Amino acid sequence: MFGCVLRKTCWKRNAARRGVCTRQPAPRVRFAPSPTGFLHLGGLRTALYNYLFAKQRGGTFILRLEDTDRTRLVPGAADAIEDMLDWAGIPPDESSRRGGDYGPYVQSERLPLYSQAAASLLQTGHAYCCFCSNQRLDLLKREAQRSGHVPRYDNRCRQLRPEQVRQKLAQGAPHAVRFKLDAGAEPFRDAVFGWTRHEVAAVEGDLVILKADGFPTYHLASVVDDHHMRVSHVLRGSEWLISTAKHLQLFHALRWTPPAYAHLPLLLDRDGSKLSKRQGHIFVQRFREQGVLPEALLDIITHAGSGFDDNRIGRRLDELIREFNISKITTHSALLDLDKLDEFNRVHLQHRIEDEEKCAALRDELRQHVLHTHGSQISDPAVLEPQYIQRVLQLRKGHICSLRELLNHTYAYLWIRPRVTRQQLQEVSAEAGNIVAAVIQLVASGGSFRSAEHLNAELKTIASRLNNTKYSGVMRVLRLALSAQQQGPSVAEMMLSLGGQEVCVRLQKALEH
């Protein structure tokens, strides 16, 4: 277990043992996105690492929506975030949708808790009312920028006398609540970055914890929620590392035990630049629409970073859970090469095809795609039968990166009978008629359709009996007759996919045209 403070639960052994045993309770972790946008790859990586940490230790994974920034909320984003976690196979145990013992799980529904915490801090002298107008705060910011300094609040309202505060409150003056930052921040141990210390009071003014509209800022809300939801470990992006010093001061002022912290390094593009959100290129929903498998997406974002003893392609979710090691997470940014996503998808698609239950779902999905894409052109309904689609998938596994590849022009022959004439075949080889007749006879006599190797051997035998056509010529004739194409899988695989009866139908039709 990592962290700044570790919560422990003790069980007393029986008297005969005369001892006390201390063990860690199951952890409670949270993924707390803001529904000001849709789930992107960086958020998915944070959610995944929380999920892995919890599931490895029999803990609880919480989805909490931090919607206190009311001006930037995106309609539908809250539901879409949980939808994408479900699709990715890492659903929360507790959430607004699923419920739980520590809800509500949406911050805008927890406002009384934040007001109570702010009131407690005011009462103990750790916070004060700030009556500064937005105009004054903007002026402070512009003056700091003009002089080349970092903008910060000057803590003016901290100096107000109690009677001045009471007078302004009696007059109904709008105000925020600010937390008094202490000088000389204590160091804390982060599980990734080690011992860390940030003198926030030296570079920042006292922070707003409750806005004039009654909504909390992130700092107060996250601390209050982590306490009331009994969050034991916080795994979040490294952009929050400096803010942790503020959060620890809030915990101590409220006399609450803080969770342990682990800040995850940034997820960057392969060249070290930020992942671009333009045109939705990094949003999880876009990858789903493109036919990317969720397990491939999880695999590539863990492969890009650290947290595992080795970096290999093809880890399933159960393997990610088993092999995750938080002590292996490094401080340097994770570089994500999305150009390799096809390779990850190919590997995981093969895994699905080899899994009987998952392959059944693939068959149904592919059937729907084929009907949608080629429905009016399908001449033989047998291509929609489960056995046929299963055969296609088994023969193409390891070669395709997505089911959608089987819908493009290269594979149209699988679903649509081509229109090829005898003349076209004879332009490839004058012996085309003999070739076609020999293959039909091979199929009719129960020729070997056991494997591509056996079938290739039979086809080579046919080629050896011809006078003027080499084996490669025989392949070109058959490829053209079966698919009307010059490229694609091997002829033997084409024949195995189509099946003996359909092979004969297509060859016979080509001779008759």
Side-chain angles (χ1 to χ4, degrees), residues 9 45 89 106 123 130 162 170 173 202 238 249 278 303 380 382 400 493:
T9 303
R45 196 273 300 261
V106 180
Q123 187 175 9
C130 176
S238 59
Q249 287 196 28
R278 290 180 305 161
H303 187 271
D380 184 2
I400 56 172
E493 183 182 323

Side-chain angles (χ1 to χ4, degrees), residues 8-241:
K8 295 185 178 180
T9 303
C10 298
W11 289 269
K12 290 185 177 180
R13 301 290 192 188
N14 58 44
R17 295 289 297 274
R18 295 184 178 275
V20 175
C21 175
T22 301
R23 61 177 275 191
Q24 295 291 343
R28 290 176 57 81
V29 300
R30 46 77 163 180
F31 174 52
S34 172
T36 54
F38 296 94
L39 186 64
H40 54 77
L41 291 180
L44 180 64
R45 196 273 300 261
T46 300
L48 174 61
Y49 277 36
N50 275 278
Y51 181 90
L52 297 179
F53 183 82
K55 296 307 168 184
Q56 190 180 71
R57 294 160 174 79
T60 302
F61 173 50
I62 305 163
L63 172 62
R64 186 173 77 214
L65 295 174
E66 301 190 341
D67 64 341
T68 56
D69 189 350
R70 310 301 291 175
T71 61
R72 297 176 55 225
L73 294 182
V74 174
D79 285 335
I81 288 171
E82 188 158 359
D83 288 343
M84 289 302 97
L85 293 180
D86 288 343
W87 171 78
I90 53 172
D93 301 300
E94 298 176 17
S95 69
S96 180
R97 183 182 297 174
R98 287 172 167 81
D101 295 334
Y102 300 93
Y105 294 91
V106 180
Q107 285 187 338
S108 59
E109 300 173 11
R110 301 170 63 85
L111 298 184
L113 289 174
Y114 313 132
S115 297
Q116 291 167 15
S120 174
L121 292 170
L122 287 168
Q123 187 175 9
T124 57
H126 289 96
Y128 59 90
C129 294
C130 176
F131 300 92
C132 291
S133 65
N134 289 333
Q135 291 81 357
R136 180 177 187 273
L137 296 176
D138 288 340
L139 180 62
L140 285 175
K141 182 178 180 180
R142 288 196 298 270
E143 287 179 350
Q145 291 172 336
R146 194 162 41 242
S147 60
H149 296 117
V150 177
R152 58 179 294 181
Y153 179 57
D154 59 1
N155 297 350
R156 175 183 178 180
C157 288
R158 189 197 270 217
Q159 313 307 322
L160 291 175
R161 297 188 302 276
E163 57 269 22
Q164 290 176 299
V165 174
R166 286 194 295 270
Q167 181 181 3
K168 288 180 178 293
L169 291 176
Q171 294 171 348
H175 64 281
V177 177
R178 288 185 183 269
F179 177 72
K180 296 178 181 178
L181 289 174
D182 292 333
E186 294 183 2
F188 67 94
R189 183 182 179 276
D190 184 85
V192 176
F193 287 82
W195 285 100
T196 306
R197 185 171 180 267
H198 297 289
E199 289 275 9
V200 288
V203 294
E204 298 183 33
D206 292 337
L207 64 140
V208 173
I209 56 173
L210 200 66
K211 295 176 284 189
D213 62 2
F215 275 81
T217 61
Y218 169 80
H219 304 295
L220 178 65
S222 65
V223 165
V224 170
D225 288 343
D226 285 345
H227 169 72
H228 285 288
M229 291 182 177
R230 300 189 181 183
V231 171
S232 61
H233 300 78
V234 172
L235 285 75
R236 61 186 177 187
S238 59
E239 65 269 24
W240 295 109
L241 183 61

Side-chain angles (χ1 to χ4, degrees), residues 184-364:
E186 294 183 2
F188 67 94
R189 183 182 179 276
D190 184 85
V192 176
F193 287 82
W195 285 100
T196 306
R197 185 171 180 267
H198 297 289
E199 289 275 9
V200 288
V203 294
E204 298 183 33
D206 292 337
L207 64 140
V208 173
I209 56 173
L210 200 66
K211 295 176 284 189
D213 62 2
F215 275 81
T217 61
Y218 169 80
H219 304 295
L220 178 65
S222 65
V223 165
V224 170
D225 288 343
D226 285 345
H227 169 72
H228 285 288
M229 291 182 177
R230 300 189 181 183
V231 171
S232 61
H233 300 78
V234 172
L235 285 75
R236 61 186 177 187
S238 59
E239 65 269 24
W240 295 109
L241 183 61
I242 293 177
S243 294
T244 305
K246 307 173 193 176
H247 300 165
L248 288 173
Q249 287 196 28
L250 279 166
F251 271 109
H252 294 154
L254 290 163
R255 297 183 178 181
W256 293 341
T257 301
Y261 289 95
H263 287 84
L264 308 175
L266 294 175
L267 187 65
L268 302 177
D269 207 343
R270 61 178 179 178
D271 61 1
S273 62
K274 285 187 176 181
L275 290 168
S276 173
K277 294 184 181 179
R278 290 180 305 161
Q279 300 174 349
H281 289 165
I282 66 166
F283 291 108
V284 176
Q285 177 68 34
R286 176 65 63 88
F287 292 101
R288 180 184 184 181
E289 292 168 354
Q290 292 172 346
V292 175
L293 297 175
E295 54 266 44
L297 211 51
L298 299 184
D299 194 9
I300 196 171
I301 60 176
T302 52
H303 187 271
S306 47
F308 298 87
D309 290 329
D310 59 67
N311 240 10
R312 71 178 193 277
I313 295 177
R315 267 190 285 245
R316 300 175 176 89
L317 183 57
D318 60 332
E319 294 173 307
L320 291 175
I321 293 171
R322 186 170 60 251
E323 297 177 24
F324 178 65
N325 186 346
I326 198 166
S327 68
K328 295 292 184 179
I329 299 178
T330 59
T331 58
H332 59 75
S333 298
L335 302 182
L336 181 64
D337 187 356
L338 288 175
D339 287 343
K340 295 180 180 179
L341 185 55
D342 280 350
E343 173 63 13
F344 282 81
N345 218 50
R346 181 188 64 78
V347 170
H348 285 283
L349 181 57
Q350 181 171 346
H351 288 169
R352 283 200 178 194
I353 293 172
E354 292 170 348
D355 182 287
E356 185 176 348
E357 184 177 341
K358 292 179 179 178
C359 190
L362 288 178
R363 291 198 306 266
D364 293 340

